[in-house]
Amino acid sequence: MTSTPSRLLAAARAAAAATLIVGAPLALTGCGYNEFQSLDEQVNASWSEVLSQYQRRSDLIPNIVNTVKGEANFEQETLTKVVEARAKATSIQVTPELARDPAALQRFQAAQGELSGALSRLMVVSERYPQLQANQGFRDLRVQLEGTENRITVARNRYIKSVQEYNVLTRRFPTNLTAKVFGYEVKPNFTVQNEAAISAPPSVSFDKPAPATAPATPAPAASPASN
């Protein structure tokens, strides 16, 4: 027959276990653990969308380049820069670690910004070719590119906001204590100002400079009249 002290000890252990079972989720919720899980998933989803839109743009470029090549005397330097910028952007290996490495994210952003700039210049230069502007295939590709650029902007803004919310939770008390316990660190983010400067298209003027006028040659001095 079980003694009274043994029954009391067993009851105490059962009560403690029940308290842990009920209290643990409440404690994790109060310390922000569940919020970390939610925001981390949100950041990952936003990052995936950014990559998807950049890939969509990259897939459009070969068709755009091939269409433009059909235009006689199109500026080869402009096409070459687009092809080189695309090659540079796609050469960066996209891994889950990339978004967590500030230096790698900066290189990725710079490469995508250079590609944006090269494409912007291509669109500007193409305006001087009426036959190209009349090409229905080129017009369709241009519309697709513009739509993709808009989606890139939306996806990047969502990612920036998601990372900001996650980083605030990581730094804020008392959830910063949870971050330390579970190893949640501040995530690097896109820098909007830097990419805006990189992707700004150069100013292009199609006006031919006026020919330089040669300086007027001074008239020879008149010889003194002879008496």
Side-chain angles (χ1 to χ4, degrees), residues 152-184:
I152 287 174
T153 300
V154 172
R156 279 172 42 83
N157 288 340
R158 286 176 179 169
Y159 179 75
I160 290 171
K161 182 179 179 182
S162 298
V163 173
Q164 286 175 340
E165 292 176 352
Y166 177 91
N167 287 344
V168 167
L169 189 68
T170 304
R171 293 190 177 103
R172 186 178 61 201
F173 181 84
T175 51
N176 63 333
L177 302 178
T178 303
K180 291 180 180 179
V181 170
F182 291 96
Y184 298 122

Side-chain angles (χ1 to χ4, degrees), residues 18-178:
T19 300
L20 288 174
I21 292 173
V22 175
L26 295 176
L28 290 176
T29 301
C31 70
Y33 178 84
N34 290 340
E35 195 173 357
F36 271 114
Q37 306 310 304
S38 176
L39 291 183
D40 191 43
E41 287 299 321
Q42 183 175 309
V43 169
N44 292 337
S46 300
W47 174 244
S48 295
E49 181 61 19
V50 168
L51 296 181
S52 175
Q53 296 306 329
Y54 275 134
Q55 184 61 51
R56 177 186 175 89
R57 180 175 71 175
S58 181
D59 292 341
L60 280 173
I61 292 174
N63 289 336
I64 293 174
V65 170
N66 289 332
T67 303
V68 173
K69 278 183 178 178
E71 178 64 32
N73 301 322
F74 192 87
E75 296 184 13
Q76 291 302 310
E77 182 182 359
T78 302
L79 280 174
T80 299
K81 287 184 177 179
V82 170
V83 173
E84 291 177 347
R86 179 182 184 271
K88 182 178 180 181
T90 55
S91 68
I92 297 177
Q93 186 177 7
V94 179
T95 63
E97 289 73 25
L98 188 149
R100 297 192 288 268
D101 183 343
L105 183 61
Q106 186 176 13
R107 288 192 297 270
F108 175 81
Q109 178 182 5
Q112 295 294 342
E114 289 177 14
L115 180 53
S116 296
L119 284 169
S120 296
R121 180 182 176 87
L122 177 64
M123 292 300 105
V124 170
V125 172
S126 68
E127 293 176 1
R128 67 184 295 188
Y129 296 88
Q131 291 183 357
L132 187 59
Q133 294 299 314
N135 184 317
Q136 184 62 47
F138 179 76
R139 292 206 304 268
D140 292 344
L141 289 169
R142 184 165 191 162
V143 170
Q144 292 180 55
L145 179 62
E146 290 173 352
T148 301
E149 293 289 0
N150 289 336
R151 283 190 286 270
I152 287 174
T153 300
V154 172
R156 279 172 42 83
N157 288 340
R158 286 176 179 169
Y159 179 75
I160 290 171
K161 182 179 179 182
S162 298
V163 173
Q164 286 175 340
E165 292 176 352
Y166 177 91
N167 287 344
V168 167
L169 189 68
T170 304
R171 293 190 177 103
R172 186 178 61 201
F173 181 84
T175 51
N176 63 333
L177 302 178
T178 303

